[in-house]
Amino acid sequence: MANLTLYELEGCPYCAKVKTKLADLGLEYDSVMVPRSHDERTEVEEVSGQTGVPVLVDEEHGIEGMAESDDIVEYLEETYGSAS
């Protein structure tokens, strides 16, 4: 099972950016599609404290709800980039 979980929305360009980085690094992850309505995004809000996506959870490294695609991409590069 993957240690990474990505909360995302279909058609979201910021989510696509993170997914591209995950693919580039060859990382497996679980995808959780969130509802289009921000009011219905209770699960991602519980994880990250906000309703925007993408949000990354990395249990192995204690990341419980990282938001902002640029921050996530930078984190993935720093954490997993040199491992390949």
Side-chain angles (χ1 to χ4, degrees), residues 5-71:
T5 303
L6 180 65
Y7 291 84
E8 60 176 310
L9 178 66
E10 193 170 335
C12 165
Y14 304 106
C15 301
K17 178 179 178 178
V18 173
K19 288 171 66 169
T20 298
K21 178 52 66 177
L22 287 162
D24 288 349
L25 294 171
L27 297 172
E28 290 185 17
Y29 64 97
D30 294 322
S31 172
V32 178
M33 287 291 177
V34 301
R36 284 217 170 270
S37 168
H38 282 263
D39 292 342
E40 297 175 18
R41 296 182 185 177
T42 53
E43 185 177 1
V44 75
E45 188 172 14
E46 287 172 12
V47 168
S48 67
Q50 47 95 51
T51 58
V53 288
V55 168
L56 182 76
V57 175
D58 183 352
E59 293 176 11
E60 185 177 337
H61 292 94
I63 302 297
E64 296 179 355
M66 179 181 289
E68 300 299 327
S69 58
D70 289 340
D71 293 344

